[in-house]
Amino acid sequence: MAVGPRCSKVIGKVMNYFAFGSNMSVKRLRERVPSATARGAYRLLRHDLRFHKQGMDGSAKCDAFYTGSEWDVIHGVLYTINSEEKPVLDQAEGLGLGYELKEVSVVSGQGSAISAFLYYATHIDPSLQPFSWYKQHVLVGAREAQLPMEYQAKIEAIEAIHDADHKRDQLQRALYL
């Protein structure tokens, strides 16, 4: 059953959501969507993780950038979420304000494919860098999901900048204290 032009298929009242950025962190996502349940690490083929989405705070956020190359892969976390909570996630992600929805097929470690939705960037600026607290969310999620070490190293290598908004910086980092 479809839930409108922007929504993914609904399985009962549960939707499959593929997180590849800061929402890989269970604590970060559950702050937004309490029903989020991790189903494990999955891969999105022919896409590359890019930190070039123009965030509302002026910094870079993650994007699942389609390259079409068989060599590119994004590792992330497949979650199920209650469909009634999706509008909250849409708002937090800025749906229509730099992110749009896309239905994708993601692959488990055992090779089985499953359909899920993700948010992809429409406002891109490759000159931007992520705030260090944002990069921390992404790294925490990658470690929690036990993504491949070389993939974690790729994320760690991303140059991040200091957030001049000390209150926001402290609030974001406090999630892991």
Side-chain angles (χ1 to χ4, degrees):
M1 152 175 92
V3 192
R6 291 185 164 181
C7 295
S8 176
K9 294 177 188 170
V10 176
I11 306 162
K13 290 191 171 205
V14 175
M15 303 176 77
N16 291 324
Y17 165 54
F18 181 67
F20 55 85
S22 66
N23 285 339
M24 286 192 296
S25 163
V26 175
K27 285 184 179 182
R28 169 100 162 147
L29 184 57
R30 284 198 182 139
E31 244 188 355
R32 299 168 167 187
V33 183
S35 70
T37 303
R39 294 187 59 185
Y42 279 71
R43 295 171 288 133
L44 176 63
L45 307 177
R46 300 183 184 276
H47 288 73
D48 187 42
L49 180 66
R50 306 268 174 99
F51 285 77
H52 66 190
K53 190 263 182 191
Q54 183 177 347
M56 291 184 233
D57 60 12
S59 72
K61 307 297 183 213
C62 288
D63 179 29
F65 186 74
Y66 178 76
T67 65
S69 170
E70 65 184 69
W71 304 108
D72 289 329
V73 63
I74 292 179
H75 295 269
V77 180
L78 182 68
Y79 284 96
T80 55
I81 65 168
N82 185 313
S83 61
E84 293 172 358
E85 293 177 333
K86 186 175 172 296
V88 175
L89 186 58
D90 289 345
Q91 184 175 7
E93 290 300 303
L95 181 61
L97 302 170
Y99 275 130
E100 290 298 330
L101 288 177
K102 178 164 65 170
E103 188 88 20
V104 294
S105 179
V106 292
V107 182
S108 73
Q110 293 75 34
S112 60
I114 190 165
S115 181
F117 77 91
L118 61 72
Y119 297 92
Y120 71 95
T122 56
H123 295 148
I124 294 171
D125 182 347
S127 70
L128 295 175
Q129 295 175 304
F131 287 135
S132 57
W133 58 258
Y134 179 83
K135 180 179 157 183
Q136 178 186 17
H137 287 312
V138 180
L139 279 170
V140 165
R143 290 175 183 140
E144 287 173 350
Q146 299 178 352
L147 299 185
M149 293 306 291
E150 63 273 5
Y151 194 76
Q152 291 182 42
K154 175 182 174 176
I155 296 167
E156 286 178 18
I158 299 296
E159 193 172 327
I161 57 174
H162 175 73
D163 187 352
D165 183 335
H166 299 293
K167 207 172 202 178
R168 178 174 54 209
D169 184 89
Q170 289 177 344
L171 180 67
Q172 293 299 323
R173 292 179 191 282
L175 188 59
Y176 306 109
L177 297 178

